[in-house]
Amino acid sequence: QVHLVESGGGLVQPGGSLRLSCAASGINFRLYSMKWYRQVPGQERELVATITGGGETDYADSVRGRFTISRNNVYNTVYLRLDSLKPEDTAVYYCSTGAYGRSFWGQGTQVTVSS
């Protein structure tokens, strides 16, 4: 059974930084692409960043240059470093992967950017 558990969210001032973590179990982690999404209440879930099993990365235009996705295949963990945070980055952040023909999601971690 696949489990994804996010952590690291919190309240931060504009311009600040956070690092989110997502610990995965139940899959051969190094083989799978991992994604970070975010969602604001009343809006659709937005794909923020992707990292392949080989370490290739891609970002939404809204976060490129400010967010960094990385992974540690020894600890089965994917990270999202959030820098130069803006109030519009406030959302629940989710990690996700596709395996066994379906998508799996964590429970999410809240990021609030406010002074």
Side-chain angles (χ1 to χ4, degrees):
Q1 193 167 2
V2 179
H3 287 289
L4 302 173
V5 180
E6 301 97 335
S7 61
L11 173 64
V12 62
Q13 292 187 344
S17 297
L18 284 173
R19 190 180 78 158
L20 309 182
S21 300
C22 172
S25 61
I27 56 172
N28 192 343
F29 180 77
R30 64 183 180 87
L31 299 181
Y32 292 93
S33 293
M34 300 296 297
K35 300 177 185 287
W36 283 98
Y37 289 78
R38 65 186 180 186
Q39 188 168 27
V40 176
Q43 297 185 17
E44 291 189 359
R45 199 165 288 190
E46 174 190 19
L47 177 60
V48 173
T50 302
I51 186 166
T52 68
E56 296 178 352
T57 60
D58 194 23
Y59 299 91
D61 289 343
S62 58
V63 307
R64 186 174 287 112
R66 299 188 300 119
F67 291 7
T68 304
I69 190 171
S70 62
R71 65 190 298 157
N72 186 318
N73 290 339
V74 173
Y75 294 112
N76 290 358
T77 301
V78 60
Y79 304 97
L80 187 67
R81 171 78 180 186
L82 291 65
D83 293 312
S84 303
L85 281 161
K86 305 174 181 180
E88 53 263 42
D89 294 317
T90 296
V92 178
Y93 284 72
Y94 299 89
C95 68
S96 178
T97 190
Y100 312 121
R102 55 161 290 189
S103 295
F104 294 90
W105 299 85
Q107 82 288 350
T109 186
Q110 175 71 47
V111 171
T112 302
V113 185
S114 175
S115 55

